[in-house]
Amino acid sequence: MSLSSPSSVAQSTVAPPRASRREIFAWALYDWANSGYSTLSITLLMSYMTGVLNHQWGARYGELAWGWGLGVTMFVAALLSPVLGAVADAQANKRGWLAVTALAGAAASCLMFLATPDRPTLLFVLFLVANLGMELSQGFYNAFLPELADEHSMGRVSSWGFALGYLGGGLVLLAFLMLYKFAPKFGLPDDDPTSLVPRLGLLMMGAWWAVFTLPAIIVLRDRGTPRSDSSLVAAARRAVGEVRGTLTNLRRYRVLVIFLLGFLVFNDGVQTVISQAGVFAKDVLSMDAGELALVVLMIQFIALPGAIVVGWIGDRIGQMHALHLCLAVWTVLLVASFFVNTTAQFWIMSAVAALVLGGTQSVSRTIMGLMTPEAHTGEFFGFFNLSGKATSMFGPVVYSTVFFTTHSAHLAIASLLLFLVVGWAIVSRVDVNAGRREALKGERPSV
């Protein structure tokens, strides 16, 4: 089984670049935009929500609600993404769906400012809406990638999107840290029972997401042609039929399906580490939102060059080789995390994770793009969104349930190792060149 670079596919199949630098930059800027939610949710929102819910509902119920909330919204997004992606293809309107889902999530984030500590239910509901908007928007955003770059530039374009995301996420974290540290100098009480400073941070989270989504909404354009009957109801009915047809004809895209299955499993583990690292640090090391923000800030700026370097490596040695390297690092990290008991150890582990964090996501998205039939980008990236960038479906539920029942964050984090090992074993059977030929010619290669 070959794991060589997909550049060995016949040159006659290579399409020229299809987008201007302006459009590519506007697309990549959405990673910058949603990083306002991604970074502040796993630091500020996690700390604030678990604290409020633990106080109002009972000890450890905040962590349980956080994990199950992530899992439930991921499950709903997993059900909706393929259908909505097919609707977007039928209407040639991925941009419109991106606008609706992203701005709805951003609005819910802004409204969290109204969720004072005596309103735990409002806070939890807004968290569910914001996270669902984040998950759904990723499918439409990712579906633009095959339209913007050819197979030789796709790795670089994808990695630049993640790189901008880590830079933007770092800047919004820095802004929150300034607010957190200098609140009294700004005339804001640091012991306010209404938690004004954290709620201002949540308002900042939503505003950042909304404002920097606008370039993508304004500049991106759909390259498809709407079908003659492209009303929402007709498109939805047709989409359900197309998804059913895809499921019954999986053998046409066997390599892609195997990759999606493996990605679903290992990315569940990776994304859960990201979403639950703050819970681990809060329980084991008693770190507060400010300290967590500093750690994530460090991760953002290490992950920035890491995403670019892994994208560069993947374009030269092959995307699958680069993915295997990233998964090996993640496996070692999870084994070592069981023995973390000091803040210094947590910082070191976080730095190493940052080196492969963006690269794992970027190279996976590139592999998906290389093996995706152009006529089904929205639909297939809807399936890809089953394990989207921000969270995953089963991992948070497993982590929070193990933590709730055993009271051990170490056992909870160790439980994620199974996701990495199983997912890695599945994707090790994927031949990207065969998957590329499968997408281009409709052949059924052996795996």
Side-chain angles (χ1 to χ4, degrees):
M1 177 180 59
S2 172
L3 292 176
S4 60
S5 169
S7 62
S8 60
V9 177
Q11 292 297 315
S12 61
T13 66
V14 179
R18 286 161 274 183
S20 66
R21 291 183 178 180
R22 177 172 175 265
E23 194 170 8
I24 290 173
F25 178 74
W27 173 82
L29 199 60
Y30 183 66
D31 252 317
W32 171 293
N34 64 43
S35 290
Y37 178 82
S38 297
T39 56
L40 287 180
S41 68
I42 62 175
T43 52
L44 170 62
L45 177 55
M46 182 281 300
S47 181
Y48 180 65
M49 192 179 90
T50 56
V52 168
L53 269 56
N54 282 339
H55 179 72
Q56 297 287 344
W57 293 354
R60 292 188 303 279
Y61 277 93
E63 288 80 6
L64 189 66
W66 172 256
W68 275 82
L70 294 176
V72 167
T73 52
M74 189 63 235
F75 179 73
V76 174
L79 294 178
L80 294 180
S81 288
V83 174
L84 293 183
V87 170
D89 282 340
Q91 296 181 327
N93 191 26
K94 292 189 292 290
R95 181 177 66 169
W97 283 98
L98 174 63
V100 169
T101 53
L103 295 181
S109 299
C110 290
L111 290 173
M112 289 180 191
F113 176 77
L114 303 177
T116 50
D118 59 340
R119 297 174 175 173
T121 303
L122 174 63
L123 178 60
F124 183 61
V125 170
L126 290 173
F127 158 64
L128 295 178
V129 174
N131 211 64
L132 181 60
M134 177 68 168
E135 294 293 348
L136 291 175
S137 70
Q138 289 297 313
F140 303 112
Y141 167 65
N142 288 331
F144 274 103
L145 180 58
E147 298 181 0
L148 300 177
D150 62 24
E151 66 176 82
H152 294 295
S153 62
M154 196 175 291
R156 291 188 296 275
V157 172
S158 178
S159 63
W160 274 108
F162 279 107
L164 272 179
Y166 289 116
L167 178 59
L171 291 177
V172 75
L173 268 177
L174 187 61
F176 167 67
L177 282 171
M178 294 300 99
L179 176 67
Y180 185 84
K181 182 175 181 179
F182 299 109
K185 294 185 178 180
F186 296 147
L188 302 172
D190 54 6
D191 58 348
D192 182 9
T194 66
S195 300
L196 179 60
V197 172
R199 290 188 294 115
L200 283 173
L202 296 176
L203 178 61
M204 178 193 303
M205 176 178 75
W208 181 281
W209 186 2
V211 169
F212 290 109
T213 295
L214 296 179
I217 296 173
I218 295 170
V219 175
L220 288 177
R221 60 186 179 87
D222 287 276
R223 286 166 168 75
T225 302
R227 297 177 183 174
S228 56
D229 184 3
S230 59
S231 67
L232 180 60
V233 174
R237 186 181 300 113
R238 188 184 300 112
V240 172
E242 289 177 352
V243 172
R244 185 183 299 114
T246 300
L247 293 173
T248 58
N249 292 287
L250 287 177
R251 289 180 297 178
R252 293 178 56 197
Y253 309 106
R254 186 183 174 195
V255 179
L256 178 62
V257 170
I258 291 174
F259 175 76
L260 281 172
L261 178 60
F263 177 83
L264 172 65
V265 178
F266 79 69
N267 197 57
D268 225 345
V270 170
Q271 296 299 328
T272 305
V273 172
I274 298 169
S275 67
Q276 303 298 322
V279 176
F280 179 89
K282 182 171 174 281
D283 178 72
V284 175
L285 307 172
S286 300
M287 297 177 70
D288 61 20
E291 292 175 297
L292 288 173
L294 283 172
V295 174
V296 176
L297 181 63
M298 178 269 295
I299 291 174
Q300 295 296 110
F301 287 107
I302 293 180
L304 169 60
I308 298 174
V309 169
V310 173
W312 181 86
I313 292 174
D315 284 340
R316 281 154 181 79
I317 70 172
Q319 305 297 335
M320 286 303 299
H321 282 305
L323 180 59
H324 288 316
L325 178 63
C326 291
L327 292 179
V329 174
W330 278 113
T331 302
V332 172
L333 282 173
L334 277 180
V335 172
S337 67
F338 187 77
F339 305 99
V340 170
N341 287 296
T342 69
T343 301
Q345 291 171 338
F346 185 78
W347 274 83
I348 293 172
M349 297 282 291
S350 298
V352 175
L355 290 173
V356 293
L357 173 58
T360 306
Q361 297 168 323
S362 177
V363 75
S364 297
R365 183 165 65 183
T366 300
I367 294 171
M368 175 70 188
L370 290 171
M371 299 191 297
T372 297
E374 290 187 28
H376 300 284
T377 56
E379 182 181 356
F380 277 42
F381 269 99
F383 283 106
F384 180 73
N385 197 42
L386 287 170
S387 289
K389 174 185 165 184
T391 57
S392 299
M393 184 163 53
F394 297 109
V397 171
V398 170
Y399 180 96
S400 60
T401 302
V402 171
F403 176 71
F404 185 79
T405 55
T406 67
H407 305 173
S408 172
H410 285 100
L411 288 176
I413 201 74
S415 69
L416 304 178
L417 185 61
L418 180 63
F419 291 91
L420 265 295
V421 173
V422 173
W424 191 4
I426 294 173
V427 298
S428 68
R429 302 183 65 237
V430 170
D431 182 338
V432 177
N433 286 333
R436 179 67 174 161
R437 291 192 299 270
E438 182 183 66
L440 292 172
K441 301 178 183 179
E443 297 177 349
R444 180 186 173 185
S446 60
V447 179

